[in-house]
Amino acid sequence: MQIIQANNYNVEIGNLMESSFSKLLSEYSDVKKLILVDENTQEHCLSYLITSFDELSDAEVVVLPAGEENKQLGIVGNVWEMLTEYGITRHDLLINLGGGMISDMGGFIASCYKRGFPFVNIPTSLLSMVDASIGGKTGVNLGHFKNQIGVFNNPIALYIDKSFLATLPDHEIKSGYAEMIKHGLIHNAELFDRVMEMMRTNPNEIDVQLLMDCIQVKNSVVTQDPTEKGLRKILNFGHTFGHAIEGHWMERGGMTHGHAVAIGMVMEAKLSELRRMISSQEYDKIENAIIQQYEMPSYSDTDIDAMIALMSNDKKNISETVRTCLLDTIGKCSFDHVIGNAEMKEVFRFFQKN
Ligand SMILES: NC(=O)c1ccc[n+]([C@@H]2O[C@H](COP(=O)([O-])OP(=O)(O)OC[C@H]3O[C@@H](n4cnc5c(N)ncnc54)[C@H](O)[C@@H]3O)[C@@H](O)[C@H]2O)c1
């Protein structure tokens, strides 16, 4: 079992059965336990959890519809009503068993209900293992605007067991790789090369050391700046364009979070090159690596206007100016760069297919 110390909790990486989860459940033996899943993690992950831990045999299970379009306040409201029906108190325990949608929503549900009760994250997607379950950001979307409502609050424990990935579809594995690529691009050029190499050669056999190194990047940034006053903003690299793309695609059949972020990273790398912050060679290396793995979507001029409108409402903006992260080199990122509509349009147009 590998243990990384986070802000007031431990991240344990390894077989869940050998982790401290059982001990934690015994500490909560006298209270109600709730497990939050979505339809897919109910099907693929829940029975393992319930059959492996006797303490969970009488846990209430709350099942949410799967998919980013359901990460909405209305659904959170329904769950809060269920919690009232189950008589949940501030002493009870919520276990989030799922991807980033479940840890974001579950963390928010537990943080606000009766002013907060404890929750544990057991991520089941690659993206949530390397990113979403760590760092205390919880919340929901507001229509197409991503993560507009939420709070910072940490789980009491986080257990990462990569055996859950056995049932994760390939496109979701790919989605998780995008955030791993990001961790390399913003923090460590050698990590970027290792992630790309693994993705090219053996994407489903995720090396534990690589997983750990990506988790360490996220954890070290969020422990230094838990509420995103400065440094933590670098984790948003790829997300200014990425969130607009993801939000815009929500009603066009959807695009995984990671796919949108991957495209967003290419666009923000392009902007870094246009501003002469990175060289053309560096930009070409990034574009070649990412575009081989993630298809650039087609979009019209009307789509560009809609995506620019979404970017104007991004949480990272200050005083109505759009702010983004840009690369200083591969492995180093800076934040709070102001960008105007003309520049956004130039970048979108550059990647527009005829
Ligand atoms: N809080 C943060 O710091 C943070 C960081 C990055 C992303 N996010 C959020 O995380 C979300 C994206 O995370 P995600 O990609 O995990 O999304 P997700 O939770 O929607 O999971 C993706 C899909 O995989 C399925 N799935 C999950 N685990 C499975 C398993 N073991 N077997 C089979 N299917 C499984 C889910 O049901 C879903 O259909 C977005 O909402 C994003 O905004 C949050």
Side-chain angles (χ1 to χ4, degrees), residues 28 44 97 104 112 161 177 182 185 192 303 335 342:
Y28 280 81
H44 298 294
L97 180 67
D104 275 15
C112 299
D161 182 341
Y177 267 101
K182 180 191 78 182
L185 284 176
F192 171 64
D303 294 322
F335 52 86

Side-chain angles (χ1 to χ4, degrees), residues 38-41 44-45 66-68 71 98-104 123-129 131-139 141 146-147 163-169 171-172 175-176 179 182 218 232 239 243 246 256-258:
D38 70 17
E39 296 149 324
N40 298 322
T41 58
H44 298 294
C45 311
E68 185 66 23
K71 193 175 148 186
M101 180 215 165
I102 288 295
S103 52
D104 275 15
T124 61
S125 72
L126 180 57
L127 192 142
S128 56
M129 290 180 189
D131 193 352
S133 65
I134 312 157
K137 276 190 183 178
T138 73
N141 303 329
K146 287 273 303 170
N147 305 326
S163 65
F164 283 113
L165 298 177
T167 57
L168 192 68
H171 67 277
E172 295 295 349
S175 177
E179 300 285 9
K182 180 191 78 182
K218 169 105 194 218
R232 186 175 177 154
H239 287 64
H243 273 167
E246 188 183 6
T256 62
H257 178 76

Side-chain angles (χ1 to χ4, degrees), residues 59-83:
E60 299 283 359
V61 176
V62 177
V63 186
L64 302 188
E68 185 66 23
E69 66 280 14
N70 297 303
K71 193 175 148 186
Q72 295 287 339
L73 211 47
I75 293 190
V76 167
N78 296 341
V79 176
W80 281 328
E81 280 173 18
M82 273 185 217
L83 302 191

